[in-house]
mmCIF file of all heavy atoms in Angstrom:
data_model
loop_
_atom_site.group_PDB
_atom_site.id
_atom_site.type_symbol
_atom_site.label_atom_id
_atom_site.label_comp_id
_atom_site.label_asym_id
_atom_site.label_seq_id
_atom_site.Cartn_x
_atom_site.Cartn_y
_atom_site.Cartn_z
ATOM 1 N N ASP A 215 -13.670 33.970 143.372
ATOM 2 C CA ASP A 215 -12.934 32.647 143.405
ATOM 3 C C ASP A 215 -11.911 32.704 142.394
ATOM 4 O O ASP A 215 -12.178 32.730 141.155
ATOM 5 C CB ASP A 215 -13.976 31.536 143.183
ATOM 6 C CG ASP A 215 -13.374 30.105 143.197
ATOM 7 O OD1 ASP A 215 -12.126 30.100 143.557
ATOM 8 O OD2 ASP A 215 -14.068 29.187 142.948
ATOM 9 N N LEU A 216 -10.669 32.616 142.737
ATOM 10 C CA LEU A 216 -9.546 32.703 141.815
ATOM 11 C C LEU A 216 -9.523 31.565 140.858
ATOM 12 O O LEU A 216 -8.932 31.590 139.798
ATOM 13 C CB LEU A 216 -8.209 32.763 142.562
ATOM 14 C CG LEU A 216 -8.016 34.011 143.474
ATOM 15 C CD1 LEU A 216 -6.808 33.810 144.305
ATOM 16 C CD2 LEU A 216 -7.844 35.284 142.600
ATOM 17 N N GLN A 217 -10.175 30.474 141.248
ATOM 18 C CA GLN A 217 -10.109 29.237 140.403
ATOM 19 C C GLN A 217 -11.345 29.190 139.467
ATOM 20 O O GLN A 217 -11.287 28.263 138.591
ATOM 21 C CB GLN A 217 -10.093 28.012 141.292
ATOM 22 C CG GLN A 217 -8.850 27.881 142.129
ATOM 23 C CD GLN A 217 -8.791 26.540 142.897
ATOM 24 O OE1 GLN A 217 -7.797 25.997 142.957
ATOM 25 N NE2 GLN A 217 -9.901 26.111 143.383
ATOM 26 N N ASN A 218 -12.322 30.008 139.633
ATOM 27 C CA ASN A 218 -13.516 29.891 138.817
ATOM 28 C C ASN A 218 -13.327 30.803 137.582
ATOM 29 O O ASN A 218 -13.290 32.028 137.692
ATOM 30 C CB ASN A 218 -14.691 30.366 139.621
ATOM 31 C CG ASN A 218 -15.977 30.102 138.936
ATOM 32 O OD1 ASN A 218 -16.096 30.046 137.655
ATOM 33 N ND2 ASN A 218 -17.050 29.903 139.698
ATOM 34 N N PRO A 219 -13.333 30.215 136.378
ATOM 35 C CA PRO A 219 -13.061 31.081 135.075
ATOM 36 C C PRO A 219 -14.239 32.041 134.894
ATOM 37 O O PRO A 219 -14.058 32.892 134.039
ATOM 38 C CB PRO A 219 -12.996 30.008 134.018
ATOM 39 C CG PRO A 219 -13.620 28.777 134.641
ATOM 40 C CD PRO A 219 -13.385 28.793 136.021
ATOM 41 N N GLU A 220 -15.351 31.820 135.557
ATOM 42 C CA GLU A 220 -16.478 32.851 135.424
ATOM 43 C C GLU A 220 -16.348 34.064 136.255
ATOM 44 O O GLU A 220 -17.134 34.985 136.100
ATOM 45 C CB GLU A 220 -17.832 32.103 135.603
ATOM 46 C CG GLU A 220 -18.199 31.095 134.573
ATOM 47 C CD GLU A 220 -19.587 30.533 134.721
ATOM 48 O OE1 GLU A 220 -20.175 30.641 135.836
ATOM 49 O OE2 GLU A 220 -20.159 30.046 133.734
ATOM 50 N N HIS A 221 -15.528 34.008 137.217
ATOM 51 C CA HIS A 221 -15.295 35.111 138.076
ATOM 52 C C HIS A 221 -14.283 36.088 137.593
ATOM 53 O O HIS A 221 -13.230 35.655 136.964
ATOM 54 C CB HIS A 221 -14.884 34.576 139.554
ATOM 55 C CG HIS A 221 -15.953 34.029 140.350
ATOM 56 N ND1 HIS A 221 -15.931 33.951 141.698
ATOM 57 C CD2 HIS A 221 -17.127 33.423 139.880
ATOM 58 C CE1 HIS A 221 -17.093 33.363 142.051
ATOM 59 N NE2 HIS A 221 -17.805 33.007 141.043
ATOM 60 N N GLU A 222 -14.452 37.374 137.787
ATOM 61 C CA GLU A 222 -13.643 38.394 137.240
ATOM 62 C C GLU A 222 -12.188 38.324 137.779
ATOM 63 O O GLU A 222 -11.210 38.588 137.039
ATOM 64 C CB GLU A 222 -14.203 39.797 137.560
ATOM 65 C CG GLU A 222 -13.596 40.940 136.829
ATOM 66 C CD GLU A 222 -13.884 40.921 135.311
ATOM 67 O OE1 GLU A 222 -14.748 40.181 134.905
ATOM 68 O OE2 GLU A 222 -13.010 41.512 134.688
ATOM 69 N N VAL A 223 -12.054 37.897 139.012
ATOM 70 C CA VAL A 223 -10.673 37.868 139.586
ATOM 71 C C VAL A 223 -9.813 36.818 138.888
ATOM 72 O O VAL A 223 -8.618 36.907 138.799
ATOM 73 C CB VAL A 223 -10.693 37.471 141.124
ATOM 74 C CG1 VAL A 223 -11.182 38.694 141.918
ATOM 75 C CG2 VAL A 223 -11.494 36.294 141.391
ATOM 76 N N HIS A 224 -10.474 35.767 138.369
ATOM 77 C CA HIS A 224 -9.770 34.658 137.678
ATOM 78 C C HIS A 224 -9.027 35.323 136.436
ATOM 79 O O HIS A 224 -7.936 34.902 135.998
ATOM 80 C CB HIS A 224 -10.694 33.660 137.193
ATOM 81 C CG HIS A 224 -10.103 32.481 136.430
ATOM 82 N ND1 HIS A 224 -9.385 31.449 137.069
ATOM 83 C CD2 HIS A 224 -10.005 32.234 135.115
ATOM 84 C CE1 HIS A 224 -8.947 30.658 136.129
ATOM 85 N NE2 HIS A 224 -9.268 31.099 134.883
ATOM 86 N N LYS A 225 -9.747 36.268 135.755
ATOM 87 C CA LYS A 225 -9.043 36.796 134.528
ATOM 88 C C LYS A 225 -8.056 37.983 134.955
ATOM 89 O O LYS A 225 -6.960 38.075 134.369
ATOM 90 C CB LYS A 225 -10.181 37.498 133.670
ATOM 91 C CG LYS A 225 -11.310 36.536 133.355
ATOM 92 C CD LYS A 225 -12.457 37.299 132.813
ATOM 93 C CE LYS A 225 -13.741 36.379 132.745
ATOM 94 N NZ LYS A 225 -14.984 37.163 132.502
ATOM 95 N N LEU A 226 -8.434 38.719 135.956
ATOM 96 C CA LEU A 226 -7.582 39.923 136.355
ATOM 97 C C LEU A 226 -6.261 39.476 136.959
ATOM 98 O O LEU A 226 -5.223 40.150 136.705
ATOM 99 C CB LEU A 226 -8.382 40.724 137.392
ATOM 100 C CG LEU A 226 -9.578 41.493 136.841
ATOM 101 C CD1 LEU A 226 -10.244 42.234 137.943
ATOM 102 C CD2 LEU A 226 -9.109 42.436 135.749
ATOM 103 N N LYS A 227 -6.250 38.346 137.592
ATOM 104 C CA LYS A 227 -4.884 37.945 138.254
ATOM 105 C C LYS A 227 -3.914 37.531 137.236
ATOM 106 O O LYS A 227 -2.617 37.560 137.504
ATOM 107 C CB LYS A 227 -5.153 36.756 139.209
ATOM 108 C CG LYS A 227 -5.535 35.447 138.490
ATOM 109 C CD LYS A 227 -5.701 34.327 139.518
ATOM 110 C CE LYS A 227 -6.007 32.955 138.891
ATOM 111 N NZ LYS A 227 -4.999 32.473 138.035
ATOM 112 N N ASP A 228 -4.238 37.281 135.914
ATOM 113 C CA ASP A 228 -3.329 36.910 134.907
ATOM 114 C C ASP A 228 -3.146 38.128 133.981
ATOM 115 O O ASP A 228 -2.558 37.915 132.844
ATOM 116 C CB ASP A 228 -3.826 35.709 134.177
ATOM 117 C CG ASP A 228 -3.835 34.487 135.048
ATOM 118 O OD1 ASP A 228 -2.926 34.330 135.885
ATOM 119 O OD2 ASP A 228 -4.786 33.624 134.870
ATOM 120 N N SER A 229 -3.682 39.242 134.187
ATOM 121 C CA SER A 229 -3.631 40.342 133.260
ATOM 122 C C SER A 229 -2.202 41.019 133.348
ATOM 123 O O SER A 229 -1.443 40.813 134.383
ATOM 124 C CB SER A 229 -4.691 41.456 133.638
ATOM 125 O OG SER A 229 -4.547 41.905 134.988
ATOM 126 N N PRO A 230 -1.802 41.667 132.308
ATOM 127 C CA PRO A 230 -0.481 42.362 132.307
ATOM 128 C C PRO A 230 -0.387 43.333 133.510
ATOM 129 O O PRO A 230 -1.330 44.121 133.764
ATOM 130 C CB PRO A 230 -0.473 43.064 130.976
ATOM 131 C CG PRO A 230 -1.440 42.401 130.143
ATOM 132 C CD PRO A 230 -2.504 41.894 131.049
ATOM 133 N N GLY A 231 0.746 43.364 134.077
ATOM 134 C CA GLY A 231 0.974 44.237 135.261
ATOM 135 C C GLY A 231 0.511 43.620 136.578
ATOM 136 O O GLY A 231 0.491 44.312 137.574
ATOM 137 N N ALA A 232 0.046 42.349 136.600
ATOM 138 C CA ALA A 232 -0.430 41.698 137.875
ATOM 139 C C ALA A 232 0.758 41.215 138.686
ATOM 140 O O ALA A 232 1.694 40.652 138.119
ATOM 141 C CB ALA A 232 -1.419 40.614 137.502
ATOM 142 N N PHE A 233 0.702 41.462 139.957
ATOM 143 C CA PHE A 233 1.831 40.976 140.788
ATOM 144 C C PHE A 233 1.298 40.725 142.211
ATOM 145 O O PHE A 233 0.130 41.117 142.571
ATOM 146 C CB PHE A 233 2.981 41.927 140.819
ATOM 147 C CG PHE A 233 2.611 43.311 141.487
ATOM 148 C CD1 PHE A 233 2.802 43.534 142.817
ATOM 149 C CD2 PHE A 233 2.045 44.291 140.738
ATOM 150 C CE1 PHE A 233 2.504 44.700 143.418
ATOM 151 C CE2 PHE A 233 1.729 45.514 141.214
ATOM 152 C CZ PHE A 233 1.899 45.673 142.616
ATOM 153 N N ARG A 234 2.138 40.111 143.028
ATOM 154 C CA ARG A 234 1.756 39.869 144.459
ATOM 155 C C ARG A 234 2.925 40.548 145.325
ATOM 156 O O ARG A 234 4.083 40.502 144.867
ATOM 157 C CB ARG A 234 1.557 38.372 144.788
ATOM 158 C CG ARG A 234 0.375 37.902 144.075
ATOM 159 C CD ARG A 234 0.165 36.450 144.433
ATOM 160 N NE ARG A 234 1.230 35.521 143.924
ATOM 161 C CZ ARG A 234 1.181 34.275 144.071
ATOM 162 N NH1 ARG A 234 0.130 33.681 144.606
ATOM 163 N NH2 ARG A 234 2.101 33.502 143.576
ATOM 164 N N LEU A 235 2.610 41.003 146.467
ATOM 165 C CA LEU A 235 3.570 41.580 147.368
ATOM 166 C C LEU A 235 4.640 40.518 147.833
ATOM 167 O O LEU A 235 4.190 39.406 148.170
ATOM 168 C CB LEU A 235 3.007 42.247 148.575
ATOM 169 C CG LEU A 235 2.093 43.419 148.285
ATOM 170 C CD1 LEU A 235 1.492 43.976 149.589
ATOM 171 C CD2 LEU A 235 2.850 44.538 147.551
ATOM 172 N N LEU A 236 5.870 40.878 147.817
ATOM 173 C CA LEU A 236 6.965 39.998 148.356
ATOM 174 C C LEU A 236 6.875 38.594 147.679
ATOM 175 O O LEU A 236 6.921 37.594 148.429
ATOM 176 C CB LEU A 236 6.913 39.892 149.840
ATOM 177 C CG LEU A 236 6.985 41.236 150.615
ATOM 178 C CD1 LEU A 236 6.889 40.973 152.102
ATOM 179 C CD2 LEU A 236 8.253 41.946 150.377
ATOM 180 N N GLU A 237 6.810 38.594 146.347
ATOM 181 C CA GLU A 237 6.711 37.364 145.598
ATOM 182 C C GLU A 237 7.758 36.316 145.975
ATOM 183 O O GLU A 237 7.460 35.164 145.975
ATOM 184 C CB GLU A 237 6.605 37.697 144.100
ATOM 185 C CG GLU A 237 6.312 36.547 143.259
ATOM 186 C CD GLU A 237 4.806 36.205 143.084
ATOM 187 O OE1 GLU A 237 4.112 37.136 142.805
ATOM 188 O OE2 GLU A 237 4.467 35.027 143.271
ATOM 189 N N LYS A 238 8.996 36.899 146.182
ATOM 190 C CA LYS A 238 10.064 35.990 146.256
ATOM 191 C C LYS A 238 10.018 35.145 147.546
ATOM 192 O O LYS A 238 10.729 34.205 147.698
ATOM 193 C CB LYS A 238 11.405 36.832 146.244
ATOM 194 C CG LYS A 238 11.540 37.728 147.461
ATOM 195 C CD LYS A 238 12.918 38.498 147.393
ATOM 196 C CE LYS A 238 13.022 39.454 148.511
ATOM 197 N NZ LYS A 238 14.322 40.192 148.442
ATOM 198 N N LEU A 239 9.188 35.480 148.529
ATOM 199 C CA LEU A 239 9.071 34.744 149.733
ATOM 200 C C LEU A 239 8.385 33.425 149.571
ATOM 201 O O LEU A 239 8.488 32.507 150.406
ATOM 202 C CB LEU A 239 8.384 35.604 150.821
ATOM 203 C CG LEU A 239 9.014 36.856 151.311
ATOM 204 C CD1 LEU A 239 8.252 37.550 152.371
ATOM 205 C CD2 LEU A 239 10.500 36.536 151.772
ATOM 206 N N GLY A 240 7.637 33.304 148.479
ATOM 207 C CA GLY A 240 6.926 31.980 148.200
ATOM 208 C C GLY A 240 5.737 31.792 149.114
ATOM 209 O O GLY A 240 5.414 30.618 149.353
ATOM 210 N N THR A 241 5.201 32.794 149.684
ATOM 211 C CA THR A 241 4.050 32.616 150.537
ATOM 212 C C THR A 241 2.756 32.393 149.840
ATOM 213 O O THR A 241 1.723 32.051 150.408
ATOM 214 C CB THR A 241 3.852 33.867 151.527
ATOM 215 O OG1 THR A 241 3.826 35.012 150.691
ATOM 216 C CG2 THR A 241 5.009 33.926 152.466
ATOM 217 N N ASN A 242 2.759 32.631 148.501
ATOM 218 C CA ASN A 242 1.532 32.465 147.690
ATOM 219 C C ASN A 242 0.341 33.224 148.252
ATOM 220 O O ASN A 242 -0.706 32.499 148.554
ATOM 221 C CB ASN A 242 1.294 30.986 147.454
ATOM 222 C CG ASN A 242 2.283 30.315 146.586
ATOM 223 O OD1 ASN A 242 2.602 30.813 145.497
ATOM 224 N ND2 ASN A 242 2.691 29.116 146.924
ATOM 225 N N PRO A 243 0.408 34.495 148.358
ATOM 226 C CA PRO A 243 -0.761 35.242 148.865
ATOM 227 C C PRO A 243 -1.853 35.170 147.824
ATOM 228 O O PRO A 243 -1.674 35.025 146.663
ATOM 229 C CB PRO A 243 -0.241 36.688 149.050
ATOM 230 C CG PRO A 243 0.957 36.766 148.105
ATOM 231 C CD PRO A 243 1.611 35.426 148.072
ATOM 232 N N LYS A 244 -3.080 35.377 148.302
ATOM 233 C CA LYS A 244 -4.323 35.328 147.408
ATOM 234 C C LYS A 244 -4.706 36.705 147.124
ATOM 235 O O LYS A 244 -5.949 36.852 146.631
ATOM 236 C CB LYS A 244 -5.286 34.437 147.930
ATOM 237 C CG LYS A 244 -4.960 32.930 147.849
ATOM 238 C CD LYS A 244 -6.098 31.983 148.140
ATOM 239 C CE LYS A 244 -6.375 31.800 149.593
ATOM 240 N NZ LYS A 244 -5.219 31.207 150.292
ATOM 241 N N VAL A 245 -3.962 37.662 147.459
ATOM 242 C CA VAL A 245 -4.298 39.100 147.059
ATOM 243 C C VAL A 245 -3.305 39.484 145.952
ATOM 244 O O VAL A 245 -2.089 39.557 146.190
ATOM 245 C CB VAL A 245 -4.242 40.041 148.286
ATOM 246 C CG1 VAL A 245 -4.432 41.475 147.825
ATOM 247 C CG2 VAL A 245 -5.249 39.632 149.324
ATOM 248 N N TYR A 246 -3.852 39.908 144.815
ATOM 249 C CA TYR A 246 -2.999 40.348 143.681
ATOM 250 C C TYR A 246 -3.229 41.821 143.482
ATOM 251 O O TYR A 246 -4.276 42.411 143.869
ATOM 252 C CB TYR A 246 -3.560 39.576 142.395
ATOM 253 C CG TYR A 246 -3.201 38.112 142.373
ATOM 254 C CD1 TYR A 246 -3.948 37.237 143.027
ATOM 255 C CD2 TYR A 246 -2.183 37.701 141.512
ATOM 256 C CE1 TYR A 246 -3.612 35.837 142.979
ATOM 257 C CE2 TYR A 246 -1.831 36.267 141.465
ATOM 258 C CZ TYR A 246 -2.566 35.419 142.212
ATOM 259 O OH TYR A 246 -2.340 34.022 142.161
ATOM 260 N N TYR A 247 -2.282 42.424 142.901
ATOM 261 C CA TYR A 247 -2.316 43.824 142.537
ATOM 262 C C TYR A 247 -2.050 43.943 141.070
ATOM 263 O O TYR A 247 -1.328 43.203 140.445
ATOM 264 C CB TYR A 247 -1.301 44.637 143.380
ATOM 265 C CG TYR A 247 -1.524 44.706 144.861
ATOM 266 C CD1 TYR A 247 -0.993 43.665 145.640
ATOM 267 C CD2 TYR A 247 -2.332 45.569 145.441
ATOM 268 C CE1 TYR A 247 -1.246 43.668 147.019
ATOM 269 C CE2 TYR A 247 -2.591 45.685 146.780
ATOM 270 C CZ TYR A 247 -2.056 44.642 147.620
ATOM 271 O OH TYR A 247 -2.229 44.668 148.933
#
Side-chain angles (χ1 to χ4, degrees):
D215 181 6
L216 295 168
Q217 296 186 140
N218 190 333
E220 288 188 341
H221 284 204
E222 191 65 21
V223 289
H224 179 80
K225 308 163 192 170
L226 291 176
K227 70 181 178 63
D228 296 323
S229 59
F233 66 93
R234 297 182 291 185
L235 295 179
L236 302 177
E237 185 83 50
K238 66 180 179 181
L239 297 181
T241 53
N242 285 317
K244 288 192 280 296
V245 175
Y246 291 75
Y247 295 89

